[in-house]
Amino acid sequence: MEEGVRLGSLLWEFGPGWRMISSAMLGGGIGAREWVLNAQVVAGYARMDPAEHLRSLGPAGDGVGMMTAASVDRCARAADGGAEAVATVGLRVPTWAATPEGTEDPELAPMRVGTVNIVTVLPVAMTDAALVNTVMTVTEAKSQALIETGFPCTGTASDAVCVAVPADGPREVFGGPRSEWGARVARAVHQAVRRGAEEWRHRHST
């Protein structure tokens, strides 16, 4: 419950043995993580302790916590060759990454709340560099899907991403869109985000 509104969350409980890379406020960076939380918050979220708030909502142990103003019950899922992607898509304020200095984005006031959040899971271990490369691939596939769906944007100003891979095993050294696993990630993310964007457009055009 937040400001009298009942809100949902998506929770993945991986347990030990996983490494993740994320841009999230809680558990961001690269490291061992055991869970991922994507928590829906009100559009005008005003708390000044988002990391602590997310920690209070998640399980014990180290995890990744993201926030979104999008409806998490309308998440879109896709898979390709063992790569899985789940996206929550909210496009109230679509944004180009490069805009003139001083351009205001109402989505940022009063708090940066993620509106297109993507969780991607792969069954193979990766080097740190490959994880970074995979985040690039996820972002590129997201932007491709949004543009193809007719949204004039690369995303929103506060999108978040998390990529989860096993900690043990031979490590893949590539994550770009033409690598084996990068290509699978790109297709899964593209499909999930496109589904989410199309569903969002349908709901907001009627």
Side-chain angles (χ1 to χ4, degrees), residues 9 20-21 24 59 68 94 130 159 166 174 188-189:
S9 296
M20 301 183 192
I21 181 171
T68 180
D159 297 346
F174 300 112
V189 169

Side-chain angles (χ1 to χ4, degrees), residues 51-119:
E52 289 73 16
H53 186 193
L54 285 164
R55 189 173 289 108
S56 72
L57 296 174
D62 293 325
V64 170
M66 302 184 288
M67 291 181 171
T68 180
S71 299
V72 297
D73 59 336
R74 296 189 174 96
C75 65
R77 302 170 181 267
D80 189 290
E84 301 180 16
V86 179
T88 51
V89 180
L91 292 162
R92 185 165 59 90
V93 187
T95 304
W96 292 111
T99 60
E101 184 177 0
T103 300
E104 294 186 3
D105 189 336
E107 192 72 25
L108 300 184
M111 178 63 67
R112 295 172 182 263
V113 178
T115 50
V116 180
N117 286 348
I118 301 170
V119 176

Side-chain angles (χ1 to χ4, degrees), residues 106-161:
E107 192 72 25
L108 300 184
M111 178 63 67
R112 295 172 182 263
V113 178
T115 50
V116 180
N117 286 348
I118 301 170
V119 176
T120 304
V121 184
L122 290 86
V124 293
M126 285 187 153
T127 64
D128 286 357
L131 284 172
V132 174
N133 207 176
T134 302
V135 169
M136 293 171 57
T137 298
V138 168
T139 304
E140 291 166 359
K142 174 199 70 176
S143 296
Q144 178 183 342
L146 295 175
I147 293 168
E148 288 178 357
T149 314
F151 288 93
C153 68
T154 49
T156 81
S158 51
D159 297 346
V161 63

